[in-house]
Every structure is written in structure tokens, then in C-alpha cells.
Amino acid sequence: KSVNLMASVDGYGNMQEYLRYPSNWSVISNNINKLLHQNNIKFSISPVIQITNLGYITDLFDYVEKINATYDECLINLYPIVLNQPDYLNLINLPKSYKIECYQKIETWISQNCKYQGKAFHTIMNEVKNKCNSEVDYKVNLERFFEFNDIFDNHRNQRLIDVNPKLNALRP
């Protein structure tokens, strides 16, 4: 009688295409819009929050909440996953100043734009907040991140600087 559908979408637009290469945002967006018109589908998006998308995750959140606002109900639930492994993708392994800047953007978005998400979403965002407020020795893992990421960029003919210039600027 009903279907629960959960999609792994890690970013909005170019960020999604970068993280989930070779995905195509317009195809994803069109498919989401088609699903919204099905009465028997409960739909959730489950982004994996990690180093690369931390500073831009609110773009995806905003996309979802604008759809929900159009219908004035929660048609799409957000169930983020906070990545823990591998360490070089774990958002805790970023400079604290960068993490605080990113979380302030999330916090502002929550206070101003988050109307339709439930307790589970807010609980997960508290986990993100705790990681962003943590001070860790991140340098080795951040170097590993750039080494790992550069291999993918070269193979896929992509560039981190095109989707996240602030993160790219943290290169050692």
C-alpha cells in the first residue's frame, strides 16, 4: 500500500555531481519531482555529511525545505548521516575555525529556514555541531584527504576548487 524510499543525495547541484560522480543533478531533481506526485510514496533524502560537503550542505537542505514549503507539509524528510570512517573524510578532521564557520551557516539555516524537519534531523545536527566544536589534531588526516581527493579529481577530470574553494584553500 505504500513505499518508503530513501535516496542518497549528498549535495545540491554541482556538489552532488562532484561527490557522486557521474550523477546528474537535473536528472535527480526531475526524478524527485516525479516522486512527489505519487500518493503512496514516503520520501527521504539521506546525505552523508563529510569534509567536502560540510560548508554546502545547507544548499541541499534548502532545496528540500523549499519543496516542503510549496506543499506546506513535509513531503521529503532529511535523514543525514554523519560520516565517521575513513578518518580522512570525517569532518572532525578540519581546522576548528573552518568547522565553526560551516556550522554557523547550518545553525542560521536551521533557525531561519527549517520548518518541516523533525526531531531526528535536529538530533543529527547536534552531532554535527559537536564535531564542529571539537579541537583535534587534524593535519595528517587533512593531508590524506587532499591526496585521496586529488587521485579522484585526476581520474574524473574534476577539481575540488570548483565546488569548494574554501576547503581547497586549506591545502598544506
Side-chain angles (χ1 to χ4, degrees), residues 139-151:
K139 291 179 183 168
V140 170
N141 281 307
L142 189 57
E143 285 178 25
R144 285 186 187 142
F145 164 76
F146 286 117
E147 290 170 8
F148 163 84
N149 202 72
D150 288 347
I151 290 168

Side-chain angles (χ1 to χ4, degrees), residues 39-51:
N39 293 334
N40 62 340
I41 294 180
K42 295 183 182 192
F43 190 59
S44 300
I45 291 181
S46 193
V48 177
I49 302 175
Q50 47 112 327
I51 280 180

Side-chain angles (χ1 to χ4, degrees), residues 10 14-23 50 52 88-89 145 147-160 162-163:
D10 293 339
N14 291 340
M15 182 60 74
Q16 170 66 19
E17 292 174 349
Y18 182 81
L19 288 172
R20 296 284 182 146
Y21 177 87
S23 66
Q50 47 112 327
T52 310
Y88 58 83
L89 292 176
F145 164 76
E147 290 170 8
F148 163 84
N149 202 72
D150 288 347
I151 290 168
F152 276 100
D153 278 0
N154 289 332
H155 179 72
R156 297 173 174 175
N157 197 28
Q158 295 177 308
R159 295 179 339 145
L160 176 65
D162 295 335
V163 295

Side-chain angles (χ1 to χ4, degrees), residues 3 10 39 98 105 108-109 113 119 126-127 150 157 162:
V3 174
D10 293 339
N39 293 334
Y98 179 80
K105 187 175 176 181
T108 299
W109 182 87
N113 301 342
K119 184 177 180 179
N126 280 332
E127 182 182 346
D150 288 347
N157 197 28
D162 295 335

Side-chain angles (χ1 to χ4, degrees), residues 109-124:
W109 182 87
I110 289 171
S111 68
Q112 294 177 0
N113 301 342
C114 186
K115 180 178 178 184
Y116 299 96
Q117 299 307 312
K119 184 177 180 179
F121 173 81
H122 293 283
T123 299
I124 295 164

Side-chain angles (χ1 to χ4, degrees), residues 61-69 109 114-117:
F61 294 170
D62 205 41
Y63 168 79
V64 168
E65 285 296 83
K66 283 180 179 175
I67 290 171
N68 290 337
W109 182 87
C114 186
K115 180 178 178 184
Y116 299 96
Q117 299 307 312

